[in-house]
Amino acid sequence: MSSVIASTRFSVLDRSRTREGHDGPEALRDTVRLAQDLEALGYHRFWVSEHHGVPGVAGSAPTVLAAAVAAATRTIRVGTGGVMLPNHQSLVVAEQFGVLASLFPGRIDMGLGRSVGFTDGVRKALGRDKHDAEDFEGRIGELLGWFLGTSGTGVRARPAEGLSVPPYVLAIGEGAGIAARAGLPLVIGDIRGREKMLRGIEEYRAGFRPSSWLAEPYVVISGSVAVAGDEAAARRLLVPEAWSMAYSRTHGTFPPLAPAERVESLAMTGKERGFYESGLRGHVYGTEEQVAGELERVIKESGAQEVLVTTSTYDRAGLLDSYRRLARLAGLTA
């Protein structure tokens, strides 16, 4: 086993993707079961996501789902990848994570993102505007102030104040600088956009300011990783998500995942085919040996301390087998 891989943490973000013939409630239960399986395999942390009004994603309330995951597990760290801060009042977010950290001490992570609702309708329903994402840096400072007891409102966030819930900044582009100035860990994707990702990491390390939360830079790289008995089987795990993305780009809605076999038999338009093929490129996939080699390269290039795997597919048995193979090549132990 590579010493580079052996010294790296491996974690998982599950987006609670819905599947054709399987409803949203089942997707949420699948997420909880997956967390239990990954804990047994020795993964470091398990995160859930936030999406609103998306047919293909059931995870709309990440702190609620994180509570269910934490209650069903014992040792794995649990968190959000992430709570989209512009959608919420910072006091409420602090209170929610304060409750989680009180119920599950030492196991809760607070991953924070800057996205607002996907469509105008969702943003209107949330009472938000697309420009609300522009003050992400200020919103992070306000949120952390509730934990530190430095809010100027005279209000105290209970039970959050005084608790240490590790914050993480989810970054694409300018988010790297925000994480650096705040002195927080950086979660950056996607592995597919290698050059852009490496530029963001370089900016983060160059501008990092130590804080009460973190003394030195900490980098988590994220992306899809698929491992199977042969390269074709691993690639097939990526097919449902690639088609879902292609469909969203051409039809304006993000659908549930379809079986790979059905996707491969579709008569796609030229535009759909282009987005679909693009969606299959750049991921880390293959046999254990192939994936180990590619992971070693990207970890060396990025200097990352952790890999956050974000794979989604229709085949849940195939997904778990992929995570089992990845745990083996990474030398994970429960």
Side-chain angles (χ1 to χ4, degrees):
M1 186 203 329
S2 161
S3 60
V4 173
I5 293 177
S7 62
T8 303
R9 288 171 168 167
F10 283 82
S11 302
V12 170
L13 165 65
D14 189 72
R15 297 198 296 276
S16 303
R17 293 287 274 112
T18 58
R19 300 176 292 153
E20 290 185 359
H22 304 267
D23 59 14
E26 183 176 354
L28 296 173
R29 293 191 293 268
D30 284 343
T31 291
V32 176
R33 281 192 292 267
L34 181 61
Q36 293 172 318
D37 291 331
L38 296 181
E39 178 178 65
L41 290 172
Y43 283 86
H44 181 63
R45 68 180 97 239
F46 185 91
W47 282 4
V48 297
S49 64
E50 175 183 337
H51 296 273
H52 299 284
V54 180
V57 185
S60 56
T63 53
V64 177
L65 184 53
V69 169
T73 54
R74 296 185 303 107
T75 57
I76 195 168
R77 297 194 65 86
V78 177
T80 56
V83 164
M84 296 301 147
L85 208 47
N87 289 338
H88 309 282
Q89 293 296 330
S90 63
L91 172 60
V92 175
V93 174
E95 290 170 337
Q96 290 173 345
F97 278 98
V99 170
L100 283 170
S102 299
L103 292 172
F104 309 102
R107 292 180 58 206
I108 300 300
D109 300 323
M110 185 168 60
L112 306 168
R114 70 185 296 272
S115 296
V116 290
F118 185 63
T119 65
D120 289 338
V122 171
R123 289 190 289 270
K124 183 177 181 181
L126 290 170
R128 293 294 184 265
D129 182 88
K130 60 183 178 181
H131 300 297
D132 287 330
E134 294 173 0
D135 190 30
F136 182 47
E137 188 165 5
R139 288 174 182 270
I140 289 176
E142 183 179 296
L143 172 62
L144 299 183
W146 291 114
F147 290 92
L148 299 172
T150 57
S151 171
T153 63
V155 176
R156 312 290 284 273
R158 307 192 188 278
E161 187 174 318
L163 296 180
S164 182
V165 184
Y168 294 75
V169 176
L170 279 62
I172 297 176
E174 66 270 22
I178 293 173
R181 289 187 292 275
L184 299 179
L186 173 72
V187 182
I188 188 165
D190 183 339
I191 287 174
R192 297 173 63 204
R194 198 72 54 88
E195 291 185 7
K196 181 179 180 182
M197 183 184 77
L198 294 177
R199 285 197 301 272
I201 292 171
E202 183 179 4
E203 178 189 354
Y204 169 69
R205 289 204 175 101
F208 183 82
R209 301 173 185 170
S211 70
S212 60
W213 301 95
L214 190 66
E216 298 178 347
Y218 188 89
V219 174
V220 183
I221 56 174
S222 69
S224 293
V225 179
V227 197
D230 58 69
E231 187 174 349
R235 183 181 185 275
R236 197 169 297 118
L237 290 173
L238 303 172
V239 162
E241 183 78 3
W243 169 244
S244 189
M245 292 295 294
Y247 190 93
S248 72
R249 296 286 298 275
T250 53
H251 294 78
T253 184
F254 199 66
L257 297 173
E261 296 75 14
R262 189 173 80 75
V263 173
E264 290 172 333
S265 68
L266 290 173
M268 302 181 193
T269 66
K271 191 173 185 180
E272 288 171 340
R273 177 67 63 180
F275 284 129
Y276 170 67
E277 294 293 345
S278 174
L280 287 170
R281 288 194 289 269
H283 302 289
V284 176
Y285 70 91
T287 64
E288 290 178 41
E289 184 178 0
Q290 288 173 318
V291 168
E294 184 59 28
L295 281 176
E296 182 171 10
R297 278 189 289 274
V298 71
I299 292 168
K300 282 182 176 179
E301 289 175 356
S302 64
Q305 289 98 330
E306 187 171 341
V307 176
L308 181 68
V309 183
T310 62
T311 312
S312 295
T313 191
Y314 180 90
D315 180 2
R316 298 296 293 189
L319 180 65
L320 181 57
D321 180 65
S322 175
Y323 282 129
R324 189 178 291 115
R325 291 172 182 271
L326 178 59
R328 184 163 58 223
L329 72 86
L332 304 186
T333 55

